[in-house]
Amino acid sequence: MALDDFPDRLPGADRAAVAILQTVDSTNALCRRVAEASRSAGRQLPRLVVAARRQTAGRGRRGRRWQSPPGGVYVSLLVAAAGPAWLARLPLAVPVALCEALSEPTGGRCRIKWPNDLVVDGRKLGGVLIETVGGGGGAVVGFGVNCALPGGQPLADPAVALAELGAEPPVPERLAFHLAVAVLDAVDRPLDPAQLVERYRRLSAHRRGDSLRWHDGERWIAGSFDGFDDDGRLRLATAGGLRLVAAGELVEGEPAGAAR
């Protein structure tokens, strides 16, 4: 399946229009520009999927550069928001949908490193970047997955590509289509909050007692992983007591508990 064969609309007449590009600065940035143009023209926010072979200015959380060579899957969805509760569930629902959709090509080893990295055996396979647009009236849901190996060489730690996992890796364009449909399903039919948190827990890469560090925007706070609460917030046991982490920077330390 060549990139040009990727359908111009995903299943269902009202699901999403699709833009396929060889190269783009950032699929998320393009979706944001479309959202701003729609807002300026007084038009309804379109539903759009942007997929690219390569990004020249891909971004991760906190503005970090996301390396985006050919062979990866780089996709962003522009969707209208369905309310504050819907927006609050996206950071859980999207990684769960992607991790479950990647179960077969990873041999069931895909896990979620809080809050939104996809990892296999501790190595980063992909990530998610969700941004609100239009004053919270919409969201851009971006994700990237390492699929093939650029130049045929293994990726350097801590990254990993599907092609390194033993099984025949999927064609990037087919994988992009498969994952986009999975994410749209999660966007349109969000799970019951309790069910969503439980599925997130089952897919977590973290084990109780793992050493973690959290950056609260001002300083680093060390502690150990103590599970998730019923809203999906990470429980961090620190010397000063339990902290509930809903946002911020989390960095793993040396495992202090059960093996992965």
Side-chain angles (χ1 to χ4, degrees):
M1 180 178 181
L3 189 66
D4 292 342
D5 294 329
F6 195 105
D8 60 1
R9 295 193 74 84
L10 292 183
D14 61 345
R15 293 301 299 274
V18 178
I20 308 299
L21 304 169
Q22 292 288 340
T23 302
V24 69
D25 55 349
S26 158
T27 55
N28 263 40
L30 178 56
C31 283
R32 292 198 312 272
R33 291 195 292 270
V34 171
E36 177 58 28
S38 297
R39 186 196 65 80
S40 297
R43 296 194 300 264
Q44 184 177 359
L45 193 70
R47 173 169 281 209
L48 174 65
V49 174
V50 176
R53 281 189 183 274
R54 175 176 174 264
Q55 295 183 121
T56 59
R59 293 185 304 110
R61 295 179 67 243
R62 294 179 172 267
R64 292 190 183 91
R65 177 100 181 250
W66 177 276
Q67 299 296 329
S68 310
V73 167
Y74 313 113
V75 181
S76 293
L77 289 70
L78 176 60
V79 291
W86 176 88
L87 281 171
R89 287 201 295 273
L90 280 186
L92 299 180
V94 173
V96 165
L98 289 169
C99 200
E100 291 178 345
L102 287 164
S103 178
E104 182 175 348
T106 63
R109 290 183 287 163
C110 186
R111 295 293 182 268
I112 303 168
K113 178 183 173 182
W114 194 94
N116 53 18
D117 279 348
L118 305 173
V119 299
V120 173
D121 300 332
R123 298 178 67 188
K124 186 169 180 176
L125 177 67
V128 179
L129 179 63
I130 300 173
E131 303 174 294
T132 58
V133 293
V140 177
V141 179
F143 60 87
V145 175
N146 303 322
C147 187
L149 297 175
Q153 298 299 313
L155 298 182
D157 282 335
V160 68
L162 291 174
E164 299 177 69
L165 300 182
E168 184 70 22
V171 176
E173 291 75 34
R174 290 185 184 275
L175 182 64
F177 175 78
H178 175 60
L179 297 180
V181 170
V183 172
L184 277 175
D185 285 343
V187 165
D188 287 340
R189 291 186 287 275
L191 295 168
D192 171 83
Q195 183 185 8
L196 176 58
V197 172
E198 184 54 36
R199 286 166 78 170
Y200 192 94
R201 285 181 177 131
R202 289 202 304 268
L203 293 168
S204 174
H206 305 291
R207 297 294 179 263
R208 198 172 298 275
D210 283 355
S211 296
L212 301 173
R213 291 191 305 149
W214 169 51
H215 197 277
D216 67 358
E218 297 181 357
R219 60 194 176 103
W220 288 101
I221 299 172
S224 61
F225 176 68
D226 190 40
F228 298 96
D229 73 1
D230 291 341
D231 293 319
R233 294 176 296 183
L234 185 140
R235 294 164 52 92
L236 185 67
T238 75
L242 184 68
R243 303 289 294 263
L244 296 177
V245 183
E249 184 69 10
L250 190 69
V251 175
E252 290 188 77
E254 293 297 321
R260 296 184 184 284

